[in-house]
Amino acid sequence: PVAIVACAAFARILPFMISFLRHVFVDSWLGRVIAGLLFLAFVGWGVGDVLSNIGSERADVIVRVGGQTVTTEDFLSAVQNELQQVARQSGMTDPAQLPVATRRQAAEQVLQRLMMQSEITLSAERLGVTVPDDALRTEVFGLPAFKGPDGRFDRKLFDSRLQQIGMTEKRLLDLIRADLAVRALVEPLQNGARAPETMVRHVFDFDAQTRTIDLVRFPLTAQAIPTPDTAQLHRFYDNHSWLFQTPEYRHARIVVLSPDSVAQSVEIPDAELKRLYEAETAKYNVPETRTVQIVTAPSQARAQAIADQWKAGADWDRIQADAKDSATVQMDNVRQVGIPSVGLAKLVFAAPLADLQGPVQVDTGWVVFKVTLVTPPHVTTFDAARQELREQIAHGQAAELVGQRVQKLQDAIAGGGLDHIPDNLGAAAIAGTLNAQGMTQGGETAPIPASPALRKAIIERVFSQAKGANPTLVQGPENGWYAVAVDSIIPAQVQPFDAAAAQVRAAWDDEARDHAANVAATALYVAAKDHGGVAAAAAAAGQPVEHPAPLARGQAVEGVPEELAQLAFRLDKTGQTMMLDGPDGFYVATLTAITHPAPDKEAMRVGRIRSAMSQALADDIGMSYAAALQQVVKPKTNMSALKSALASVSGTGGAGETSP
């Protein structure tokens, strides 16, 4: 019975899940192309990674597997996609902020995946796996990238999308056919993968376990410190002179050639801008959208009970938690055509804001719903979108133009240095004084026209290049090129005591507070170990004890530093005490409880773990199969092309340095 109820609930929610995914990719042609690529992506590997570059395939091949090849362009495009995902997972907005080692590791993993994909594609060809035309047609017609507003395949849109990404129809169909053949070969191997229940339970216990602590904090700001005399401040100044040193400043002239700088010089005809505007009509002409919370119940009586609970004041989280026999879904900013049930769509878009509706019967069952947000239709005119359209096209062209203009810039530098750079190259020039942190003498950020990663490389070059040395054109991160000339150097020097008096006093106070907090925390830590925990020791010392919420792995708890939570999970039994030196003070805590939730009370969590582990196992099977195929046809690597590509990804300038 439980399985039947679960299947019924899943059947009711499935149309909304599909609609939600479709809605995510409906607002722009780029989003639709991404959606298409997601459908095309082979077991999460990278057919989509090369899709936007096929139209201009180069001859430089990094790896050859039989008749299959991985070009430099294929590789760099896939790496860029991978780095964007890694950056998002790390909480960064720009992949250039990732450490060099992380970028290089990601690049090596991408190359391995592309090689494995080539191996499996070749294996499918050898085994004679063929894709019928009907299957190919169904796949193409089902791609959201090529569907019009009515949800059907649109031939004009199809042609427009191909033109935008520079690909022929034949090439796209060949790619999709090959991908379907590969899926036919690999998916049967993966479909039976299932994580062992013992492993699932072990992972659940590790993931769901919580720990409780008693905590005493010693904030630095709460520490009482004595007032130092002049002799103490002078002694502190003499012992910490490096703290009161002005940084070295250098005056430099800098020229930067990058996709961003070149994009500023690209001229785009209005006709091309209008073509893109028309292709992205779904983005610039947005109909009314609504956010709606929907519950689909198995019967009218159950739907009425849910409606009564909702009217009584239960919030959405409570409704979802209690309606386990029903399908619940929240659709954010959905268009009317995005709701799979036509009848329900009409009801949703006719309902007043914030008024509970239902129970009402539609083709998906008995539903209760509430509209929580209404966003009026919005039209962005061509003139209002012009700048955005221009930047989109210009940045798409700039990467290729940079390569065409590097030699001209190099010749200009060789002929006249950095003072005679032609203004038709799209290079940006700047001159000024800065320190090794990129700050001016006025304490402002030096306005270097470059991305964060390229800016960092330029500053490092300024402070490693000798004064008066001839400028050299260097390749930096993200296809950026730059040259530097250092004109003068202002050495670092220690400020006189009188000039640094305020800084000396502030630094003395900081160290004194840190010392006082350390002494007090250490005394409590020792007492807690001798008296069975911080609660007893703190009571004897008259210090307040905090009882934070239970700690869980990967979840922040207010007032508890992440480092302290990590220490708590390293302890193996209750009663153990730990001490942490944090940036804002010291913490002493005792582990008081370790809780192991019962799996039968966390069925959804266990299910998520089981699904994730089974998917990981399926991926491993696919990877192992591809690795085994490498023993049949050995990949042939062009080490020169590979080293050059890896240098470009990691941002190491040495590989890209050229002489004038």
Side-chain angles (χ1 to χ4, degrees), residues 638-655:
N638 181 344
M639 294 306 299
S640 176
L642 177 58
K643 288 180 180 178
S644 177
L646 289 176
S648 174
V649 170
S650 61
T652 52

Side-chain angles (χ1 to χ4, degrees), residues 216-463:
V216 176
R217 65 180 73 241
F218 297 85
L220 299 181
T221 55
Q223 304 306 309
I225 57 174
T227 301
D229 57 31
T230 304
Q232 287 177 304
L233 292 177
H234 272 281
R235 185 166 60 252
F236 184 85
Y237 168 81
D238 292 337
N239 292 337
H240 302 81
S241 59
W242 65 88
L243 296 177
F244 315 110
Q245 181 174 270
T246 60
E248 175 183 317
Y249 284 92
R250 294 191 172 201
H251 185 278
R253 288 168 292 142
I254 303 167
V255 171
V256 180
L257 182 71
S258 68
D260 287 337
S261 69
V262 170
Q264 301 303 315
S265 66
V266 175
E267 295 184 2
I268 311 296
D270 264 8
E272 189 170 349
L273 295 176
K274 289 180 179 178
R275 279 197 299 272
L276 179 57
Y277 177 78
E278 292 171 358
E280 296 194 344
T281 182
K283 174 182 178 181
Y284 295 113
N285 296 274
V286 182
E288 177 183 313
T289 61
R290 295 190 168 205
T291 295
V292 59
Q293 297 166 342
I294 305 171
V295 179
T296 304
S299 66
Q300 182 179 6
R302 185 68 183 102
Q304 186 62 56
I306 293 171
D308 293 342
Q309 181 187 13
W310 212 338
K311 289 177 182 177
D315 61 16
W316 177 240
D317 290 338
R318 172 52 58 190
I319 294 296
Q320 287 183 298
D322 292 347
K324 295 185 178 180
D325 60 341
S326 304
T328 61
V329 63
Q330 175 167 309
M331 307 182 77
D332 295 320
N333 295 315
V334 66
R335 304 182 186 196
Q336 186 166 351
V337 297
I339 299 178
S341 168
V342 176
L344 179 58
K346 291 180 179 179
L347 292 173
V348 167
F349 275 79
L353 178 66
D355 282 357
L356 186 65
Q357 303 293 310
V360 61
Q361 189 173 23
V362 296
D363 53 357
T364 58
W366 286 94
V367 298
V368 182
F369 67 90
K370 181 189 291 185
V371 176
T372 60
L373 177 67
V374 176
T375 304
H378 175 69
V379 176
T380 304
T381 65
F382 172 74
D383 288 338
R386 182 191 298 273
Q387 184 59 31
E388 180 181 346
L389 295 167
R390 186 206 164 280
E391 291 178 358
Q392 185 173 332
I393 296 176
H395 279 85
Q397 297 178 0
E400 183 177 351
L401 291 175
V402 168
Q404 297 174 5
R405 297 179 181 183
V406 166
Q407 187 61 49
K408 294 179 181 179
L409 178 58
Q410 181 174 316
D411 293 342
I413 293 173
L418 302 186
D419 297 324
H420 299 87
I421 304 299
D423 57 9
N424 61 351
L425 296 181
I430 187 175
T433 301
L434 71 162
N435 62 22
Q437 285 69 49
M439 307 299 291
T440 67
Q441 289 173 302
E444 299 175 345
T445 301
I448 300 175
S451 66
L454 184 56
R455 172 189 171 84
K456 180 181 178 182
I458 292 172
I459 294 173
E460 290 175 351
R461 184 75 177 187
V462 169
F463 280 82

Side-chain angles (χ1 to χ4, degrees), residues 509-564:
D509 287 351
D510 288 343
E511 186 168 286
R513 291 191 183 95
D514 186 84
H515 177 71
N518 193 353
V519 170
T522 302
L524 180 66
Y525 174 74
V526 173
K529 294 189 70 173
D530 293 339
H531 296 89
V534 299
Q543 293 170 312
V545 179
E546 299 179 21
H547 306 284
L551 309 177
R553 285 186 172 89
Q555 298 180 15
V557 173
E558 185 176 359
V560 180
E562 182 182 352
E563 295 85 352
L564 187 65

Side-chain angles (χ1 to χ4, degrees), residues 56 97 108 126 158 201 256 260 373 400 435 496 630:
S56 56
Q97 298 172 343
E108 292 170 351
R126 290 200 312 269
F158 176 81
R201 293 301 177 90
V256 180
D260 287 337
L373 177 67
E400 183 177 351
N435 62 22
Q630 290 185 3

